[in-house]
Amino acid sequence: MGETLVSLLPIVAIGLIFWLLIIRPTQRRQKALAQVQRDLSIGDEVLTQAGMVGTVRHLVDDKVGLEVAPGVVVTVVRPAVAGLLRDDSDPATGESESGDQGVKEL
């Protein structure tokens, strides 16, 4: 009986390592993305999964109106939003500290 438990130990260890390194971080990212999609508000600048950047102009149920160019509003579903863009610019000068905008880490 003792040999059986010792022989299963490597398999259990591999399963635990797999869960810690792959499954757990993926679940955290999915929860954070779902939170971002739920908490969208008008005026947020977002990135879609298709790579389109736009500003949220209206929210209706599961749909989001994104202004992608002045006067051009496209409608996408909330799950298409991949993340919020953060603004690293200095409010006093309007210049970016890093030279560009980045996607908010999820």
Side-chain angles (χ1 to χ4, degrees), residues 78-102:
R78 278 184 197 256
V81 174
L84 290 176
L85 294 179
R86 66 173 188 265
D87 188 6
D88 290 339
S89 64
D90 181 7
T93 63
E95 295 179 4
S96 177
E97 295 172 9
S98 63
D100 61 333
Q101 292 179 333

Side-chain angles (χ1 to χ4, degrees), residues 56-73:
V56 176
R57 291 298 174 217
H58 60 83
L59 299 164
V60 179
D61 297 327
D62 196 30
K63 295 186 175 104
V64 178
L66 295 180
E67 184 174 27
V68 294
V72 179
V73 178

